[in-house]
Amino acid sequence: MRDAITGLIGRYDQLGRYFDRSAIDRIDAYYGQAELRLAAVELINREAAVIVREAAQRLWLEDPELLLPGGNAYTTRRLSACLRDMDYFLRYASYALVADDFTILDERVLNGLDDTYKSLGVPTGPTVRSIALLGEVIAEMLADAGLVDTGLVRAPFEHLCRGLSSSNVRAR
């Protein structure tokens, strides 16, 4: 897994160049955001079950048909799989958040996920919404703790949403 600094060093090394002002500013920004990144990841580690449960409750309130017969979260097995996947998205988003590099999301989550979900009949629309809700819940919890720059924290969730939406599949 790469991080923002390793990726930056690799690019400049390939070019055989010293860091320019842009690279130094990028490094400065990365370290300047370290406290928020670590606070967010500590929150995720400590409250993962609460975050997933809250995001799921919001999804069910927005789209209660998912829980009804014929819905993709109907039956205990399907509901458990949905919650498991939300936890999976949350965990990988936390890795990307610390690294400030979304490559891991592309490699380990997005590549092939849409095909897998299509073959299983999992609707991408509610999946994308659940990922966005995870980001919202974390941002709210951080804001409640006095950390207000939550755009940084939402970024990996937005990347996952864009990645799944781009192949779209609306709410099949």
Side-chain angles (χ1 to χ4, degrees):
M1 184 173 109
R2 289 189 333 214
D3 62 44
I5 303 303
T6 304
L8 184 71
I9 291 169
R11 283 190 300 278
Y12 277 79
D13 182 41
Q14 283 182 328
L15 297 171
R17 294 178 43 204
Y18 290 99
F19 289 137
D20 56 17
R21 181 79 254 156
S22 174
I24 292 170
D25 289 346
R26 177 73 181 102
I27 293 168
D28 185 52
Y30 177 77
Y31 286 113
Q33 299 165 336
E35 184 177 348
L36 177 58
R37 288 178 193 286
L38 292 176
V41 170
E42 286 175 353
L43 173 77
I44 291 168
N45 289 344
R46 187 177 61 250
E47 302 291 340
V50 171
I51 294 165
V52 169
R53 187 171 44 250
E54 178 61 26
Q57 289 299 321
R58 291 180 188 189
L59 180 64
W60 311 147
L61 286 171
E62 288 178 14
D63 197 353
E65 295 82 25
L66 291 168
L67 295 170
L68 297 175
N72 264 61
Y74 181 70
T75 74
T76 304
R77 183 183 59 77
R78 286 181 166 183
L79 177 62
S80 295
C82 179
L83 297 173
R84 177 207 60 215
D85 286 358
M86 289 175 73
D87 187 66
Y88 176 79
F89 296 132
L90 181 62
R91 182 169 49 90
Y92 273 99
S94 74
Y95 299 161
L97 180 60
V98 167
D100 191 25
D101 187 314
F102 301 147
T103 306
I104 192 168
L105 298 177
D106 297 332
E107 293 172 354
R108 307 248 176 106
V109 180
L110 294 173
N111 289 347
L113 182 65
D114 187 56
D115 292 335
T116 301
Y117 274 11
K118 280 180 188 174
S119 72
L120 295 172
V122 175
T124 305
T127 302
V128 169
R129 185 63 187 134
S130 71
I131 293 167
L133 287 167
L134 289 168
E136 287 177 21
V137 169
I138 294 164
E140 290 169 12
M141 292 173 86
L142 288 170
D144 290 346
L147 298 166
V148 292
D149 181 14
T150 57
L152 172 82
V153 174
R154 291 177 190 253
F157 299 97
E158 291 168 356
H159 182 83
L160 286 168
C161 290
R162 277 191 309 275
L164 280 173
S165 296
S166 68
S167 52
N168 192 29
V169 186
R170 292 215 177 173
R172 41 166 205 235

